[in-house]
Amino acid sequence: MQIKNAKFIISVSDSGKLPCYDKPEIAIAGKSNVGKSSFINFICNNSKLARTSSEPGRTRLLNYFEINGGEFYIVDMPGYGYARVSKEEKAGWGALAEGYLKNSKELKCVVLLVDIRHDPNPDDRLLLNFMHASNIPFAVVATKGDKLSRQQSFNRRAEIAACLNIGRDDVLTVSSLKKTGLEEILNLFQTRVHLDVGE
Ligand SMILES: Nc1nc2c(ncn2[C@@H]2O[C@H](COP(=O)(O)OP(=O)(O)OP(=O)(O)O)[C@@H](O)[C@H]2O)c(=O)[nH]1
Ligand SMILES: [Mg+2]
């Protein structure tokens, strides 16, 4: 798989009004500030595609990106666990994310991003349990790999995997800053996007 072009299509604020393009969707989820939007820019090789910020709470809507002229779509999700927003706003983002995960007809995989330096928190585990219960395939990607040494990254992957009850090899590592880890991500996308019924 190669991502040759990527285009922003639409922002959605209401999970009752999700667009449906009849093409596979891959959603990018995780805590606020974990690097979801940066990850999308990295894998699409376009630093201006999704808006990023050092302030958590940048992405507040579901943002759809069309990949390779409609081969599939990537959906950037609002982050969770951002303390400095009002209760109402938090509930709104939660409902939007949950509504999307429940209602999207074409969702093929949720990529759960976690910061390589920190253990997944109860929100991460809640999301993972929800995906288990709803039979939504997922992948776990540790972000900001550039912040640690090779050895530290290796150890942290095992710790993150243990927190989530998955195998160490099921935790991929990327650095959007240093642009490392792309090949494994594209392999993952290839498998999920082109998964035939019955496989
Ligand atoms: N060192 C390093 N910093 C990163 C990396 N990826 C993202 N960041 C930084 O982390 C911060 C948050 O990045 P975003 O991509 O906006 O995070 P997000 O998960 O989309 O955040 P919300 O939209 O607020 O949920 C920014 O300051 C980025 O520059 C990385 O691979 N390495
Ligand atoms: Mg974002």
Side-chain angles (χ1 to χ4, degrees):
M1 148 106 37
Q2 255 191 315
I3 296 186
K4 296 190 202 94
N5 63 72
K7 190 167 92 182
F8 168 75
I9 300 291
I10 194 173
S11 289
V12 175
S13 60
D14 179 351
S15 63
K17 292 182 187 151
L18 298 176
C20 188
Y21 302 107
D22 287 325
K23 295 286 178 186
E25 286 170 19
I26 292 184
I28 313 299
K31 255 182 287 210
S32 259
N33 213 42
V34 71
K36 297 176 293 300
S37 300
S38 304
F39 173 76
I40 291 172
N41 292 344
F42 160 47
I43 60 177
C44 295
N45 197 24
N46 179 348
S47 62
K48 298 205 172 81
L49 191 62
R51 281 217 255 156
T52 66
S53 166
S54 55
E55 282 282 305
R58 171 72 260 178
T59 310
R60 299 178 169 211
L61 303 169
L62 296 169
N63 294 316
Y64 286 68
F65 299 93
E66 180 195 81
I67 308 300
N68 296 343
E71 183 181 359
F72 67 102
Y73 288 78
I74 292 177
V75 181
D76 192 9
M77 298 183 72
Y80 46 80
Y82 175 39
R84 277 169 50 198
V85 299
S86 69
K87 246 188 190 164
E88 291 73 27
E89 236 182 330
K90 232 187 246 180
W93 295 2
L96 181 60
E98 195 179 329
Y100 171 73
L101 295 175
K102 280 187 175 153
N103 298 330
S104 166
K105 305 261 181 304
E106 295 291 344
L107 181 58
K108 300 295 182 230
C109 181
V110 175
V111 181
L112 171 63
L113 301 192
V114 297
D115 188 315
I116 194 151
R117 296 166 295 173
H118 309 301
D119 282 343
N121 71 8
D123 286 334
D124 296 318
R125 287 205 290 270
L126 198 71
L127 181 61
L128 214 66
N129 289 339
F130 177 82
M131 292 188 286
H132 267 305
S134 325
N135 264 322
I136 302 170
F138 64 85
V140 176
V141 173
T143 60
K144 311 193 184 184
D146 55 279
K147 298 269 191 187
L148 298 180
S149 71
R150 248 185 138 72
Q151 183 62 45
Q152 284 171 321
S153 290
F154 185 80
N155 295 339
R156 286 296 309 149
R157 270 173 71 190
E159 285 158 16
I160 289 168
C163 281
L164 298 173
N165 276 320
I166 58 176
R168 175 166 56 200
D169 293 340
D170 295 328
V171 181
L172 305 180
T173 308
V174 296
S175 164
S176 302
L177 184 75
K178 293 273 163 70
K179 300 189 192 293
T180 58
L182 181 62
E183 202 178 317
E184 280 147 318
I185 300 298
L186 294 179
N187 287 341
L188 167 75
F189 281 21
Q190 168 71 27
T191 321
R192 291 301 171 203
V193 166
H194 296 294
L195 194 68
D196 290 321
V197 179
E199 253 183 283

